[in-house]
Amino acid sequence: MTLLQQGLIISALGISLTFAALVVVIGLILLLRALFPATAPSLRLAASPVHESAERERSAAILAAVWYVRNHMQPARPTDPALGHRLESPPGGYWRAAPGLDEQ
Amino acid sequence: MTDSPTPESLGRELEERRQQAAEAGGADRIAAQHKKGKLTAGERIAAFLDPGSFNELEPYRAHRHTAFGLDEQRAPGDSVITGFGRVHGRMLAVYAQDFTVLGGSFSEVQGQKVARLLDLALDSGVPVVGLMDSVGARIQEGVYGLAAFSELFWRNTQASGVVPQISVMLGPCAGGSVYSPGLTDFVIMTEGSSHMFITGPKVIETVTGEKVGLDELGGAGVHNSISGVAHFAAPDEHSALALTRQLLSYLPANNAEPAPRIPPADDPHRMDARLDSLVPTDPGEPYDVRAAITLIFDTDTFLEVHAQFAQNAVVGFARLHGAVVGVVANQPMALAGVLDIDASDKIARFIRFCDAFNIPLITLVDTPGFLPGVREEHGGIIRHGAKIVYAYSEATVPKLAVILRKAYGGAYIVMSSKHIRTDVVYAWPTAEIAVMGAEGAVQILYADKLKDRPDREQAERESVEAFRREFGSPFAAAESGHIDDVLHPSETRPKLIAALELLRDKRVPIRPRKHGNIPL
Amino acid sequence: MKQKHFKVFLDGTEFDVEVQAVDEHGLEVLVNGRTYKVEFEDLDEPHPAAPIPTFSPARPTAVAVAGPLRAPMPGDITQLLVKAGDDVTAGQELLVLEAMKMKNIIRSPRPGKVASIEVAAGQSVNHGDVLIRYEDPA
């Protein structure tokens, strides 16, 4: 075969090898990702486009804080959902008005 | 021969009679009343009751006397308008003395009409409101007038504790007739135009030589702040009547009914952080206990009673989740919150009213004790202070207490302590519950040990601190079971509501007796 | 204090975020290495620094009481808040009387003009001692 052909074949082999390696690496990455999924939760929030990156950082900080507060700063103890209900109706049968009202 | 009456002519006669009765005193006297800035009896009733709800009773009843030319001065209905109507849709009995008829003077017929109204109110179980405006007894009627008074007083007493009775003073009230408002549960006076006294300035000057004006003797200011006879003062007639309507909204119609509820408009879980810093940690700094009351109870529901009398104690009505409660509190901002003769009377009377009418009691405690002094001792602070402990011990309504700061000695006991059967007693972390203040205790207990020490002041201060921590802390009282729990001040509201819910149907057996003998 | 480490995606841009609570109203947020302080306030609850409701002293009706202002309790005068010649209103704070271990503010029972102050700061008084005389025709 001619020199040209030899060269072309080597180039083709080289490129194929490179791409094959790339495929292997990508495959490895995908494999590893599939085996060890990202545990850290990701916050995806829609926000109006801001042009300065510092602004975006600040926004990100605020939103992270809000998320944190809502999810991790719980009230110290649960509240009684029925608080006060009994006061909304008059006393029940156990209660007696002025003693001896009808006995005099 | 006159024509026989027709339905139309009879109807016309009735209308004429009605018209006559409505203008009983005559146009001149009505004008004179208006000129003084006062309303007529009919106008007051119309302003007081729900529109159109008034039903008059005995509008044509007239006197039967002839002495001193009285037979020429017979007015239909005599000197009072009596009847029944509604306030906020609730029935009550009302009477208004008519100043345009013989000065509203208390007469046999007036006594009979009002007594009859009270009988009706007692049988029906409705409150009684009296609009007072009278020159006093009608002397021309002699003892008949006095007899009528007495019938009325007897009925005021029979009704006491059965139906709420309120007297609204819209003019003079002198002589014996003043005992009727004196017997009622609440007295509202109008500034400037109402006066109450047994003997007037003229007689006083003759007998004792003292010169005194009407206002200075028995005006609204005097009776609200000095004598304590009046519980409220209003700047004018309309506000006095509006205040009466407001007061009635807290009271049951009779002693067999619970106090009226309203739909709750405030969050029962509300924990106001401002309460946590309200009480100063320096026990020598005063604060206004009414701020605590405002933040704990339902917003805008506190109606202070007897506000200007014995200001070292605060009493009044409020609501918790729409339910009426009676509030008793010491006021550190006035007289250091001590208990004295006047405060004892004020508190005891209020407690007994609430107990009679099924209104739960909530007490906020911050008092260093009873006021020392010869004046108090000779004035009988012993028997007056005893009234407080008697009233709390006797009361069978739900009783709750919160100790905010100081609770020393005898005052600790009488202010709704657990031992006199308060149902639940809470304390704030700032509470100091002890036999006496730390300073005083150290002086007595460590007198010998401190006497000869060179660093006496420092040692004394340390002892005081140690004493306070060990004996005065609310946790000491909690450990011994003398209080039920220690709370963050901001937790007070939901805790009180929950306790009130528990005790809603509270029922305590009472040993039968005719009545106790409260020291008076 | 709780700490949380996570990623924030804001419109496609990724930020590495760490949140650390400082107290009940504040957080420190680390974004891409930079620290931000975030404080928040629950508007449904009143802020602890919001003013405590005040009451003017129970609205005093004009009590036409003649005579000087007397000490309601035995104690020590620690501070005078008015001087002779001052016009005072009903309810106005006049002086501080330390009694029953409390710094009591003595208020004027009626409007008037201070004629003279009969006590000095540091002085001990008994119950009923005259503190302030009013100039009055009454």
Side-chain angles (χ1 to χ4, degrees):
Chain A
M1 82 178 59
T2 63
L3 266 168
L4 179 65
Q5 283 173 307
Q6 266 185 325
L8 284 169
I9 290 168
I10 292 171
S11 302
L13 271 171
I15 289 173
S16 316
L17 209 65
T18 311
F19 275 105
L22 198 60
V23 166
V24 169
V25 170
I26 290 175
L28 240 155
I29 291 174
L30 289 172
L31 185 70
L32 286 171
R33 266 194 148 183
L35 288 174
F36 304 105
T39 49
S42 353
L43 255 175
R44 290 172 191 278
L45 301 151
S48 48
V50 185
H51 299 293
E52 286 201 49
S53 66
E55 281 298 310
R56 310 188 88 200
E57 258 187 26
R58 226 188 260 124
S59 312
I62 294 169
L63 296 165
V66 168
W67 181 90
Y68 178 87
V69 165
R70 300 208 66 202
N71 289 288
H72 287 88
M73 293 181 92
Q74 300 292 338
R77 58 191 93 78
T79 50
D80 177 2
L83 184 64
H85 283 191
R86 212 159 174 241
L87 295 175
E88 291 167 29
S89 40
Y94 196 68
W95 177 72
R96 286 279 176 279
L101 212 48
D102 289 312
E103 277 122 54
Q104 311 273 358
Chain B
M1 175 103 154
T2 53
D3 292 325
S4 49
T6 62
E8 292 81 19
S9 69
L10 286 175
R12 263 196 310 274
E13 188 191 346
L14 174 56
E15 281 306 315
E16 275 166 26
R17 289 266 197 163
R18 267 197 191 161
Q19 195 54 27
Q20 236 185 351
E23 295 167 3
D28 293 336
R29 296 230 173 75
I30 294 177
Q33 180 85 334
H34 286 155
K35 213 161 140 214
K36 278 188 250 171
K38 294 160 78 173
L39 299 171
T40 63
E43 286 166 353
R44 286 165 178 161
I45 290 182
F48 172 59
L49 297 175
D50 292 347
S53 67
F54 185 53
N55 291 280
E56 191 174 352
L57 293 170
E58 303 184 296
Y60 307 108
R61 193 161 182 179
H63 74 73
R64 54 178 168 152
H65 297 270
T66 53
F68 303 102
L70 272 180
D71 44 349
E72 271 145 48
Q73 297 185 67
R74 286 177 97 232
D78 206 63
S79 50
V80 72
I81 301 180
T82 58
F84 55 95
R86 294 181 208 269
V87 165
H88 297 304
R90 301 166 72 210
M91 270 290 176
L92 50 75
V94 61
Y95 66 94
Q97 292 173 321
D98 191 347
F99 202 84
T100 61
V101 175
L102 291 156
S105 52
F106 207 98
S107 60
E108 188 188 17
V109 165
Q110 182 180 129
Q112 288 170 330
K113 280 179 75 173
V114 180
R116 183 254 187 288
L117 182 73
L118 248 65
D119 285 340
L120 208 53
L122 251 181
D123 288 343
S124 317
V126 296
V128 180
V129 177
L131 309 180
M132 323 291 277
D133 186 6
S134 158
V135 293
R138 194 176 297 167
I139 310 172
Q140 301 94 315
E141 289 193 8
V143 186
Y144 286 97
L146 288 183
F149 275 69
S150 345
E151 292 283 331
L152 174 56
F153 298 161
W154 185 82
R155 281 169 178 78
N156 282 136
T157 312
Q158 299 309 303
S160 179
V162 181
V163 293
Q165 299 176 82
I166 302 175
S167 304
V168 190
M169 320 305 295
L170 302 166
C173 184
S177 62
V178 83
Y179 283 123
S180 180
L183 285 165
T184 54
D185 298 306
F186 296 105
V187 175
I188 301 173
M189 288 186 79
T190 326
E191 286 165 35
S193 55
S194 68
H195 304 95
M196 294 167 73
F197 37 74
I198 299 277
T199 26
K202 290 205 192 75
V203 178
I204 290 181
E205 194 175 342
T206 325
V207 176
T208 69
E210 295 168 292
K211 286 206 174 74
V212 69
L214 273 176
D215 258 340
E216 200 188 333
L217 181 62
V222 165
H223 282 306
N224 266 281
S225 33
I226 301 179
S227 71
V229 168
H231 303 84
F232 298 93
D236 57 52
E237 292 198 19
H238 280 285
S239 39
L241 296 172
L243 181 56
T244 313
R245 286 175 64 95
Q246 192 191 1
L247 176 60
L248 282 164
S249 69
Y250 290 89
L251 312 180
N254 53 64
N255 66 352
E257 273 184 23
R261 271 140 237 281
I262 59 171
D266 196 354
D267 178 16
H269 299 280
R270 174 166 59 81
M271 293 180 27
D272 202 314
R274 289 176 285 180
L275 282 166
D276 291 322
S277 48
L278 177 67
V279 176
T281 41
D282 173 7
E285 281 295 321
Y287 62 93
D288 192 342
V289 75
R290 289 171 299 178
I293 296 175
T294 316
L295 294 174
I296 293 173
F297 297 94
D298 289 358
T299 320
D300 283 333
T301 56
F302 181 54
L303 174 66
E304 192 175 353
V305 171
H306 238 161
Q308 292 166 53
F309 179 63
Q311 291 186 26
N312 42 325
V314 171
V315 302
F317 298 106
R319 289 181 191 273
L320 267 183
H321 203 69
V324 175
V325 296
V327 181
V328 176
N330 304 108
Q331 174 62 289
M333 206 174 75
L335 229 54
V338 296
L339 290 171
D340 62 358
I341 290 172
D342 285 344
S344 305
D345 288 353
K346 170 172 164 174
I347 292 174
R349 184 117 201 270
F350 184 72
I351 292 171
R352 296 187 90 227
F353 175 83
C354 291
D355 183 44
F357 289 101
N358 308 306
I359 296 174
L361 285 162
I362 301 189
T363 308
L364 306 180
V365 186
D366 183 358
T367 172
F370 284 90
L371 180 62
V374 176
R375 195 182 93 124
E376 291 294 305
E377 297 297 337
H378 285 188
I381 184 72
I382 293 174
R383 57 186 168 81
H384 290 278
K387 292 179 195 175
I388 306 181
V389 72
Y390 186 103
Y392 272 121
S393 304
E394 175 193 51
T396 55
V397 289
K399 294 182 281 189
L400 305 175
V402 187
I403 302 178
L404 311 187
R405 198 165 58 173
K406 299 181 192 139
Y408 296 156
Y412 155 69
I413 301 175
V414 309
M415 289 302 292
S416 207
S417 61
K418 201 178 188 194
H419 328 289
I420 55 178
R421 301 298 188 272
T422 304
D423 296 298
V424 181
V425 178
Y426 289 125
W428 287 4
T430 39
E432 253 183 76
I433 303 161
V435 175
M436 57 167 65
E439 288 91 349
V442 161
Q443 300 282 354
I444 297 177
L445 296 170
Y446 300 139
D448 291 331
K449 270 201 265 176
L450 290 170
K451 204 166 40 170
D452 302 312
R453 292 181 61 153
D455 59 336
R456 199 170 145 225
E457 277 210 28
Q458 170 73 1
E460 209 175 293
R461 244 177 293 135
E462 282 169 10
S463 305
V464 166
E465 266 317 298
F467 185 92
R468 188 169 275 144
R469 252 176 297 133
E470 188 179 341
F471 295 102
S473 149
F475 293 101
E479 277 173 32
S480 44
H482 296 151
I483 60 173
D484 286 302
D485 200 2
V486 184
L487 306 178
H488 289 295
S490 47
E491 290 174 327
T492 308
R493 178 179 163 78
K495 286 288 195 181
L496 287 178
I497 290 177
L500 208 58
E501 277 189 275
L502 170 71
L503 295 159
R504 186 192 73 178
D505 295 358
K506 177 180 175 183
R507 168 170 115 189
V508 180
I510 296 182
R511 192 186 300 269
R513 56 180 170 178
K514 189 167 176 194
H515 60 74
N517 186 20
I518 182 170
L520 291 172
Chain C
M1 282 288 178
K2 294 209 195 99
Q3 201 171 339
K4 205 87 181 78
H5 189 182
F6 47 95
K7 279 192 210 298
V8 174
F9 286 86
L10 185 56
D11 250 10
T13 319
E14 183 185 311
F15 296 93
D16 183 289
V17 179
E18 225 175 273
V19 181
Q20 162 99 39
V22 173
D23 55 47
E24 63 218 33
H25 291 285
L27 307 163
E28 248 178 36
V29 187
L30 217 75
V31 185
N32 287 354
R34 268 186 286 273
T35 313
Y36 293 87
K37 271 195 158 42
V38 183
E39 271 177 35
F40 55 91
E41 183 181 322
D42 189 338
L43 290 177
D44 290 330
E45 278 180 25
H47 193 268
I52 287 170
T54 53
F55 293 75
S56 47
R59 193 182 59 86
T61 48
V63 181
V65 179
L69 175 71
R70 294 178 182 275
M73 295 183 279
D76 301 314
I77 308 289
T78 52
Q79 211 186 348
L80 295 168
L81 301 166
V82 292
K83 51 187 194 307
D86 282 353
D87 279 303
V88 295
T89 53
Q92 183 173 338
E93 301 179 0
L94 300 177
L95 47 86
V96 180
L97 170 69
E98 192 157 317
M100 301 291 294
K101 307 275 181 357
M102 180 85 74
K103 300 171 187 123
N104 300 281
I105 299 174
I106 308 294
R107 295 190 160 83
S108 177
R110 60 188 165 114
K113 196 174 164 113
V114 177
S116 63
I117 303 195
E118 303 290 322
V119 293
Q123 187 177 335
S124 277
V125 294
N126 278 318
H127 174 94
D129 283 355
V130 175
L131 302 175
I132 285 182
R133 287 194 196 279
Y134 292 90
E135 246 173 54
D136 56 355

